[in-house]
Amino acid sequence: MKTYKMHKFILTNMEYETGKIFCGVYFDASNHPLDIMVEKDLYQDNLYPNEAIYVGKVSKILPNQGAFVRISSTVSGYLPLTDNQTFFYVRKIGKKDCLQAEDEIFVQIKKQPIKTKEMVLDSNLSFHGDHMILVTGSSNVSVSQKLKKAEKAHFKEILCEKFNDLSEFGFVVRTNAVKRTDEELILEAKELYEEYQHLMTYGKNRMVFECVKKGKDILEEFLRRLDPSICEIETDDKNIYDSLLSIMEKDMYAPFKSNLKYYEDKSYPLAKLYGIHTVLENALKPTAWLNSGANLIIEQTESMTVVDVNSSKQNSKKETNAFQINVEAAKELALQIRLRNISGIIIVDFINMKSDENKAQLLSVLREETKFDPCKVTVLDYTKLGLVEITREKRYPSLKEVLTLKK
């Protein structure tokens, strides 16, 4: 995955129409927004954060589909059985090997609830370190695709040599592992293994609905989504600044420390200085204008997002003009789905072109532009109706969902 050229990342707690929000915006050198991250108020406790592990109780089984598991007397989540075949039982009901109602198992929060959908749970547990992740439900060593072939082979060799039996768990090695010695990586792997072993022992004696491993901090979550090449991270909240300094003591986030700045002008906060309210409002509007005068009409629905490329007053009857507008629209579309955090199926109605060569070139431009996206984007092809079909990985709620659901 490529990374776009970031210049500054602004972090602030701010008032919005639907309540207080914790907002982060990437800007380029010309102060144009490149990406937006929004969460609820940083100081409002999230009782059920991602990566937290609970002793859950199975309330209902959907054969060959999933299970509903309660993690409190009032909160439940969905556990997809297609992705989860390994279970760590705290208390087993009956003698059957399969998962049953009333079984008590370890579950980890994978995704937060969105609208009417419950949170998504995982029985494949993960333990995060600075340079690698220990994962259950896996029996091998996976290595970042960004690393060279020889580096991948080396990491697999040293970990498999140290952990002869990887039948119960495996490792995912991050890109930044190349900055550490073999001894340091083995030490980290052993620490993760000890954390895993402790949970397996300690957790077996815990009561149902008890949290046995805390989830990740929102600020740490934000840092995980950043690129160390960013020139500057700035915040006008002293608590955020101090928390970031503390988090940056970890090796994984140390590269960010020299870029961190505290903005102290209380009379003119960062949200006002960078026009973040306007940035958010523009990212919620159905229309995104292009420099040529054409525009994109973006309609988000439950099942998919539909985008119409409107030439406006531009002459799009000529093939050359249509192609130029479509290329401009493709570049803007790649930006808009990042800003709005649109995921799932995206159907785009570009201006009609007759040339097969131009059509192929347009798809090439779209694929190149979406390589900058931190979420996986797949540009499929033209449908039989001449529409372009795109899919984008869902990691977080869309900007629209976050900003319109806050009360």
Side-chain angles (χ1 to χ4, degrees):
M1 183 192 77
K2 289 186 176 182
T3 55
Y4 36 83
K5 292 182 179 179
M6 297 167 288
H7 180 70
K8 187 173 291 187
F9 184 65
I10 303 301
L11 270 171
T12 186
N13 246 359
M14 57 183 281
E15 291 290 342
Y16 193 71
E17 286 84 346
T18 48
K20 200 161 189 178
I21 59 172
F22 177 47
C23 183
V25 183
Y26 282 118
F27 289 98
D28 64 15
S30 300
N31 285 339
H32 294 137
L34 294 172
D35 207 344
I36 302 172
M37 303 175 187
V38 174
E39 297 282 354
K40 67 176 187 177
D41 182 0
L42 182 63
Y43 305 118
Q44 180 183 340
D45 290 337
N46 181 4
L47 299 178
Y48 305 101
N50 287 348
E51 294 184 16
I53 299 177
Y54 287 83
V55 178
K57 177 177 279 191
V58 179
S59 57
K60 185 178 180 180
I61 302 286
L62 302 177
N64 302 318
Q65 296 181 49
F68 289 99
V69 182
R70 287 186 292 131
I71 59 174
S72 82
S73 58
T74 57
V75 177
S76 68
Y78 180 70
L79 178 70
L81 296 180
T82 52
D83 301 324
N84 294 275
Q85 302 293 326
T86 303
F87 308 103
F88 296 96
Y89 293 96
V90 177
R91 291 169 189 84
K92 186 78 178 76
I93 302 300
K95 297 182 179 180
K96 291 184 179 180
D97 291 336
C98 61
L99 192 67
Q100 300 177 84
E102 301 300 313
D103 281 344
E104 294 178 14
I105 60 174
F106 289 141
V107 286
Q108 189 166 33
I109 298 176
K110 184 177 181 181
K111 292 181 181 178
Q112 293 294 306
I114 300 174
K115 292 186 178 179
T116 58
K117 295 182 180 179
E118 295 185 323
M119 67 174 63
V120 178
L121 304 175
D122 208 333
S123 67
N124 299 320
L125 311 179
S126 61
F127 302 82
H128 292 257
D130 288 346
H131 308 92
M132 67 183 70
I133 307 169
L134 183 149
V135 291
T136 67
S138 171
S139 58
N140 55 32
V141 176
S142 301
V143 184
S144 168
Q145 293 299 314
K146 295 180 182 180
L147 297 181
K148 297 177 182 177
K149 186 176 180 180
E151 293 170 334
K152 293 179 184 179
H154 176 69
F155 289 134
K156 289 182 178 181
E157 181 183 355
I158 63 172
L159 287 171
C160 288
E161 182 180 335
K162 186 64 182 179
F163 298 89
N164 295 322
D165 183 12
L166 288 177
S167 59
E168 291 184 359
F169 63 91
F171 289 98
V172 178
V173 182
R174 293 189 170 110
T175 307
N176 63 355
V178 295
K179 299 178 181 179
R180 291 290 175 260
T181 65
D182 290 355
E183 291 75 16
E184 288 172 323
L185 292 176
I186 291 297
L187 178 61
E188 181 175 320
K190 287 176 64 178
E191 290 173 347
L192 292 175
Y193 175 70
E194 289 170 1
E195 184 182 2
Y196 156 72
Q197 286 284 75
H198 175 71
L199 179 65
M200 292 299 107
T201 303
Y202 154 83
K204 295 285 186 180
N205 302 316
R206 309 324 296 171
M207 299 296 293
V208 67
F209 305 150
E210 191 168 342
C211 179
V212 293
K213 183 179 183 297
K214 293 182 178 180
K216 56 188 172 185
D217 179 88
I218 290 180
L219 281 173
E220 191 166 345
E221 164 75 355
F222 266 46
L223 288 181
R224 283 187 189 177
R225 293 153 70 180
L226 296 182
D227 189 308
S229 64
I230 195 167
C231 296
E232 190 175 307
I233 301 172
E234 193 169 9
T235 181
D236 53 4
D237 188 305
K238 189 62 166 60
N239 290 326
I240 293 177
Y241 178 77
D242 290 340
S243 297
L244 286 172
L245 279 179
S246 178
I247 293 171
M248 289 172 184
E249 292 301 319
K250 297 182 180 181
D251 288 343
M252 181 179 177
Y253 306 113
F256 296 110
K257 194 171 183 178
S258 61
N259 298 334
L260 180 62
K261 291 186 177 181
Y262 176 51
Y263 178 84
E264 300 186 60
D265 188 353
K266 301 298 181 184
S267 64
Y268 208 79
L270 288 175
K272 190 172 183 179
L273 181 64
Y274 286 92
I276 293 179
H277 281 90
T278 301
V279 171
L280 296 178
E281 287 168 6
N282 288 340
L284 291 176
K285 290 179 180 178
T287 304
W289 289 94
L290 309 180
N291 291 332
S292 64
N295 59 55
L296 306 179
I297 306 298
I298 304 170
E299 295 291 343
Q300 291 177 247
T301 70
E302 285 282 347
S303 58
M304 69 178 68
T305 298
V306 180
V307 181
D308 180 38
V309 179
N310 183 357
S311 63
S312 190
K313 296 180 180 180
Q314 301 300 307
N315 183 2
S316 61
K317 293 183 179 180
K318 292 185 178 180
E319 181 80 10
T320 302
N321 290 347
F323 176 68
Q324 289 175 346
I325 294 172
N326 281 338
V327 168
E328 185 184 13
K331 293 179 179 179
E332 183 64 25
L333 175 61
L335 171 64
Q336 289 297 323
I337 62 176
R338 278 202 314 269
L339 291 174
R340 298 164 189 250
N341 200 17
I342 296 171
S343 59
I345 300 172
I346 304 169
I347 301 296
V348 190
D349 185 8
F350 285 101
I351 297 170
N352 186 46
M353 297 183 296
K354 297 180 181 179
S355 167
D356 290 338
E357 182 179 349
N358 284 344
K359 290 179 180 179
Q361 183 64 26
L362 178 61
L363 291 185
S364 179
V365 170
L366 197 51
R367 291 185 176 115
E368 186 64 25
E369 291 297 317
T370 52
K371 285 180 181 178
F372 295 94
D373 202 305
C375 295
K376 183 180 179 181
V377 178
T378 303
V379 179
L380 297 170
D381 206 337
Y382 291 93
T383 68
K384 290 183 179 180
L385 295 176
L387 308 174
V388 174
E389 186 176 3
I390 303 170
T391 62
R392 185 173 185 263
E393 173 191 16
K394 188 176 186 70
R395 291 187 186 175
Y396 312 99
S398 72
L399 187 68
K400 183 178 179 180
E401 289 168 333
V402 174
L403 293 181
T404 58
L405 285 178
K406 299 213 174 284
K407 301 296 181 184

